[in-house]
Amino acid sequence: MSSRVVTQPDPVPPMNLAQLREAIDMGAPGARDTLPFGCAPVDRRISGGGLAMNAVHEVVAASTSLSDDAAATLFLAGIGARFAEHFNAPILWAASRFDLYAPGLEQAGLLPASVIYAEASDDKSVLAIVEDALRDGTPAAVIGEVRSASLVATRRLQLAAGKAGQPVLLLRRWRKAEVDPLSAPSAAVTRWRIASASASPLPVAGVGRPRWRVELARQRGGEPHIWELEGCDARGRLAVPAPSRGRAGSAAGTAYRQVA
Amino acid sequence: MRELGRRSEAADPPFRKRGHASEASERVTAPGFEADDVPLVLIRRTGRRNDVTARCQHAASLGITVGMAATQARALVPDLDVRPHDIAADMQLLDRLALHAVRHWTPVASLSGNDGLWLDLTGVSHLHGGPERFCRHVVRFCARAGFTARVAIAATPGAAHAAARYGRSAKQVIPPGRTVDMLSLLPIAGLRLDEGARAACRRFGFETIGDLLPVARGPLVRRLGQAAVDRLDQALGRLAEPIVPVRDEAAPEVRRNLLEPIGTPEQIATVAGDLVEDLCALLGTRGLGLRTAVFHAERVDGEMRSVAVGTSRATRDPAHLNRLFALKLDRIDPGFGLEAFRLVASRTEPLAAMTPASLLAEDVRIRDVAALVDRIAGRVGERNVFRLAPAPNHVPERAQHRCDPLKTPGGFPDWKRPVRMLRRPERLHDVMALLPDHPPRRFTWRGRPYAVVAGDGPERIHGEWWRREGEVRGVRDYFRVEDAEGRRFWIFRRGDGLSPETGDLSWHMHGLFG
């Protein structure tokens, strides 16, 4: 019996044990399945040490103000840029109301060469596009802008993302002033709420590096948390603001700026 | 065959290469023809003798006619160059010409006899500048290729056939109402009759088509046969004569005929899947990749339903094509059932053999985005999948443009720019600012007051003077401002604050920084 088995050619190309282990690891949840923010105080608070790659993440603006919306967009763009860099593949950005400005996105690290945009007519087709992209498996991450997504829809995306090993980032935009988008149930692994905050003070007149109030409103297997962070740099990385040197210094900065 | 001095001999092939054989019916001296050329005839064996089937102009001037026995021709002209007539090569040449016509002139073209082409110009002649210009174009084209062409445009294929071969001039356009007048002057031979019917016509003294018109139909059928009368009716337009077009074989096509009609989506998807497999195999053997495919479904009631898919890059991946078709197959209305299917690769590009993706897990991510683009384009339309590329323009709203998603655009200049732009700049009210170059201290936007604590600027942007009159002197001064609650805006003032013709000093909101 054995002679027959031995002479049969191996149908799988020969792999060494380490490669085989790696190949198996790809499907299993573990430390390598997350992309850290590269910002220790943030990563410490997220279970897994970063954004899970095979999961849905939701981001909302903290208020209906368009400025908060822009901050949330930049927050997403930074994450997308780091995923694109990590996988060396473009990301897909699907939206139904298209008002993105590419030069601004590039300043958050998202180069024009690493995004493909898709404009759809309504939320339903945005979600369909996101799912199509997950099944295709090409993009490094998929960003979808939706006004509403039901629990069933997010669960669908979560399943598809888990199978594809690709992150889905949903920007949930406000529909009504009094309804918080995060109040709706969702299958997302992490849910973020972003607000813009006063920029880092400069010693001269002018607007400093933007700061955001980043709230991790909910995460699976972890506690919520709030940080005040400096916005994305040219490679999409967040930063912790340098501690101000006492009250006097910061007061002086504000006063200076008010003179401007 | 008798030499009766009648113009009832077979027509000469109009598409014959000059030098080997040339035209006699049209008294045109082919360029390059010299009187001291050796006269040339082509012969073909019919029964037990060799007949002349074509002769050059020089031979014609020596009295050799088509249909004459080869021995008689040789006796007339001792140094005659006699060559066998290669009909297969003639037909091949005609086929190539028909294909050229299909690709360049009209989609419906076919061979007419063994010496001509039918082109259906219905609805296409205006593309060539009208029938007359099209005639001239075809004649010129053929002259360049080395042929002498005769063109006739008529209402029916039969009339065009007769006019092209027996008409007076090489270029004729016969208006629809004049078909009968024109035909009645032409000899019987123009009707494409078989030899028996032609002999009968000669016996009864019918010489022109006009002779047949007043004769009662019953006796005519009895004497010439039904086929001959049908030919007459076809030429006059009383009987339909469809042209079966030559297919452009360059468009690969696969077909499935079903024993029984089908109607459910699953069945249609199965057939589509089979056809896609067949087509991809066919494309593989020809080294082609598919850009556009059309799936035709023929219904039992004779209707046809078609769906088309396009790809952004040449492909012959069955799985990919199946995914693209899956989005569209539900648009086929099966009616009472579908009984035949065709899949035509209407647009192809050369595509060499490909290496399949590596099995190693690391390579999974490095994939071609074309498949993704096709898939999304199939859902939202080709125009709605794009990249944003820098445009060579300094006006902010014109600085980006949508480009092909398969291109990799370069970067933008490093000026501070917002992440979201308002579709149109919105007017700010109650603005308090120091002129000429300070950001405002406060403004009201969308009914809400904002107190500005910091600002950068101005960044002066001039209008494009070459574009519009209004932009010649127009200036916008852009400021990036932050309000007390940390919102950052991109606002501008029309005018530089010094000279009034640069703008009216109104303030506008244009974009939002995060």
Side-chain angles (χ1 to χ4, degrees):
Chain A
M1 112 208 175
S2 61
S3 69
R4 195 187 155 90
V5 172
V6 167
T7 50
Q8 246 185 1
D10 195 346
V12 184
M15 293 164 105
N16 63 34
L17 205 58
Q19 277 176 333
L20 214 54
R21 270 208 190 105
E22 248 174 56
I24 294 168
D25 270 351
M26 285 294 285
R32 56 168 298 174
D33 271 331
T34 61
L35 183 74
F37 278 93
C39 177
V42 182
D43 292 332
R44 214 169 38 229
R45 297 282 180 169
I46 307 176
S47 69
L51 285 179
M53 285 186 194
N54 52 2
V56 177
H57 306 280
E58 279 184 4
V59 177
V60 296
S63 71
T64 49
S65 132
L66 284 177
S67 194
D68 287 347
D69 185 64
T73 309
L74 279 179
F75 180 75
L76 270 184
I79 297 173
R82 284 183 298 108
F83 271 115
E85 194 185 345
H86 183 260
F87 286 121
N88 191 21
I91 68 162
L92 182 84
W93 195 309
S96 55
R97 197 185 57 127
F98 199 86
D99 57 355
L100 291 169
Y101 194 52
L105 289 175
E106 182 173 344
Q107 281 156 20
L110 201 52
L111 304 176
S114 54
V115 212
I116 296 173
Y117 300 95
E119 188 178 1
S121 52
D122 53 359
D123 282 352
K124 220 174 121 196
S125 23
V126 168
L127 292 171
I129 288 173
V130 171
E131 203 176 321
D132 271 351
L134 289 175
R135 300 219 186 286
D136 185 82
T138 312
V142 191
I143 299 180
E145 289 180 18
V146 287
R147 275 161 200 285
S148 63
S150 65
L151 179 62
V152 176
T154 51
R155 196 172 282 154
R156 242 184 112 102
L157 290 186
Q158 175 60 47
L159 282 176
K163 204 179 279 176
Q166 285 171 290
V168 175
L169 307 163
L170 283 185
L171 177 60
R172 301 191 65 157
R173 305 187 86 168
W174 286 69
R175 291 163 74 198
K176 285 188 213 149
E178 59 270 22
V179 183
D180 181 3
L182 287 193
S183 63
S186 159
V189 170
T190 61
R191 306 181 85 180
W192 302 78
R193 190 178 280 137
I194 314 291
S196 49
S198 291
S200 310
L202 290 179
V204 293
V207 182
R209 180 168 173 181
R211 283 190 189 175
W212 301 329
R213 194 164 156 278
V214 175
E215 180 185 349
L216 177 53
R218 181 181 161 269
Q219 64 167 324
R220 198 176 287 172
E223 294 293 315
H225 198 80
I226 300 180
W227 301 267
E228 175 148 335
L229 297 173
E230 290 193 323
C232 294
D233 65 0
R235 290 183 63 198
R237 286 167 310 195
L238 302 171
V240 179
S244 62
R245 282 166 301 165
R247 254 181 121 73
S250 71
T254 314
Y256 206 97
R257 288 193 298 153
Q258 274 173 351
V259 168
Chain B
M1 191 175 168
R2 293 179 303 164
E3 299 292 326
L4 290 174
R6 283 188 186 144
R7 291 221 43 196
S8 54
E9 68 263 26
D12 285 324
F15 297 115
R16 191 140 303 152
K17 256 227 158 89
R18 131 172 51 104
H20 292 286
S22 104
E23 294 311 305
S25 47
E26 178 74 350
R27 301 277 170 251
V28 180
T29 309
F33 169 73
E34 305 266 329
D36 53 10
D37 276 351
V38 177
L40 174 78
V41 296
L42 298 185
I43 58 164
R44 192 177 57 187
R45 187 150 196 93
T46 39
R48 289 161 61 186
R49 65 174 204 173
N50 287 321
D51 277 345
V52 172
T53 53
R55 78 281 199 243
C56 76
Q57 198 118 38
H58 189 190
S61 67
L62 295 172
I64 297 174
T65 55
V66 170
M68 185 184 265
T71 43
Q72 190 188 353
R74 278 209 179 91
L76 277 173
V77 184
D79 59 344
L80 195 62
D81 184 0
V82 180
R83 297 186 195 176
H85 187 175
D86 187 352
I87 292 180
D90 267 8
M91 296 311 285
Q92 251 177 14
L93 195 64
L94 260 186
D95 273 339
R96 273 176 50 203
L97 204 58
L99 268 188
H100 177 88
V102 168
R103 286 179 195 159
H104 296 91
W105 297 335
T106 164
V108 183
S110 81
L111 302 190
S112 142
N114 55 6
D115 56 356
L117 289 183
W118 270 320
L119 310 177
D120 187 349
L121 291 185
T122 314
V124 289
S125 60
H126 69 280
L127 299 175
H128 305 283
E132 286 84 9
R133 279 193 65 179
F134 180 67
C135 279
R136 285 202 297 277
H137 171 74
V138 170
V139 169
R140 261 205 313 275
F141 170 83
C142 291
R144 272 203 307 278
F147 307 113
T148 311
R150 293 173 59 88
V151 185
I153 297 181
T156 63
H161 175 97
R165 286 165 178 77
Y166 299 96
R168 265 168 302 172
S169 95
K171 285 172 271 193
Q172 303 176 72
V173 180
I174 296 137
R178 308 245 314 126
T179 310
V180 180
D181 301 347
M182 182 277 308
L183 273 181
S184 29
L185 301 175
L186 299 181
I188 289 287
L191 278 186
R192 294 174 286 160
L193 304 184
D194 58 3
E195 191 45 51
R198 277 162 71 173
C201 285
R202 273 198 296 276
R203 206 163 56 242
F204 293 119
F206 297 136
E207 289 197 7
T208 63
I209 298 174
D211 294 343
L212 295 178
L213 294 179
V215 182
R217 319 244 320 155
L220 206 57
V221 169
R222 214 158 46 241
R223 288 180 172 82
L224 304 183
Q226 182 64 47
V229 177
D230 283 351
R231 285 296 189 204
L232 180 65
D233 285 347
Q234 284 172 347
L236 294 174
R238 290 180 197 149
L239 205 62
E241 186 183 12
I243 297 179
V244 181
V246 174
R247 284 259 172 70
D248 186 356
E249 287 301 322
E253 179 184 328
V254 290
R255 187 183 173 90
R256 286 281 159 101
N257 294 318
L258 306 184
L259 287 175
E260 284 187 13
I262 61 171
T264 67
E266 294 80 16
Q267 291 167 327
I268 298 174
T270 308
V271 175
D274 289 352
L275 283 175
V276 164
E277 292 274 346
D278 291 357
L279 187 67
C280 289
L282 182 65
L283 290 172
T285 58
R286 294 199 196 169
L288 294 174
L290 182 141
R291 289 295 307 274
T292 310
V294 190
F295 180 69
H296 300 287
E298 290 166 23
R299 295 203 326 208
V300 285
D301 55 4
E303 292 276 307
M304 186 137 91
R305 291 285 177 269
S306 306
V307 290
V309 297
T311 63
S312 52
R313 187 174 288 170
T315 177
R316 49 171 185 266
D317 176 13
H320 179 44
L321 292 176
N322 275 330
R323 277 198 297 270
L324 295 182
F325 271 119
L327 290 172
K328 297 203 171 172
L329 283 183
D330 54 353
R331 294 183 196 168
I332 294 180
D333 170 21
F336 295 110
L338 302 161
E339 56 179 358
F341 296 87
R342 280 191 299 137
L343 183 61
V344 185
S346 49
R347 196 164 143 230
T348 53
E349 280 175 7
L351 181 67
M354 292 169 297
T355 34
S358 160
L359 291 171
L360 293 181
E362 278 79 12
D363 291 351
V364 169
R365 294 280 176 174
I366 306 167
R367 280 183 49 186
D368 194 3
V369 295
L372 172 71
V373 168
D374 292 344
R375 203 163 163 174
I376 297 170
R379 199 176 277 282
V380 293
E382 208 172 310
R383 291 187 51 218
N384 291 328
V385 186
F386 53 91
R387 287 190 201 238
L388 292 175
N393 201 317
H394 63 276
V395 177
E397 53 264 52
R398 300 175 192 148
Q400 68 176 8
H401 72 100
R402 298 181 174 193
C403 79
D404 183 353
L406 297 188
K407 287 188 183 142
T408 47
F412 288 91
D414 212 11
W415 301 99
K416 276 285 175 198
R417 287 290 180 263
V419 63
R420 290 200 188 265
M421 286 262 264
L422 299 179
R423 207 149 279 202
R424 303 182 69 84
E426 289 176 17
R427 184 79 186 255
L428 302 180
H429 299 281
D430 308 334
V431 184
M432 201 167 72
L434 278 174
L435 289 179
D437 51 5
H438 282 272
R441 288 300 185 84
R442 52 180 301 125
F443 59 83
T444 304
W445 176 48
R446 293 190 179 176
R448 243 198 89 166
Y450 294 88
V452 174
V453 297
D456 278 336
E459 180 190 341
R460 181 156 298 174
I461 289 177
H462 288 267
E464 291 180 282
W465 51 265
W466 58 91
R467 203 184 262 259
R468 279 194 296 131
E469 194 63 35
E471 289 186 42
V472 172
R473 290 183 163 274
V475 165
R476 286 178 185 173
D477 276 350
Y478 276 91
F479 293 90
R480 178 176 171 232
V481 298
E482 184 184 298
D483 82 339
E485 288 165 52
R487 306 188 188 95
R488 283 164 287 272
F489 304 105
W490 209 38
I491 61 179
F492 70 84
R493 181 188 63 212
R494 284 189 201 279
D496 60 5
L498 293 174
S499 38
E501 71 268 19
T502 55
D504 57 1
L505 301 185
S506 59
W507 289 83
H508 300 263
M509 173 70 63
H510 204 180
L512 297 125
F513 293 94

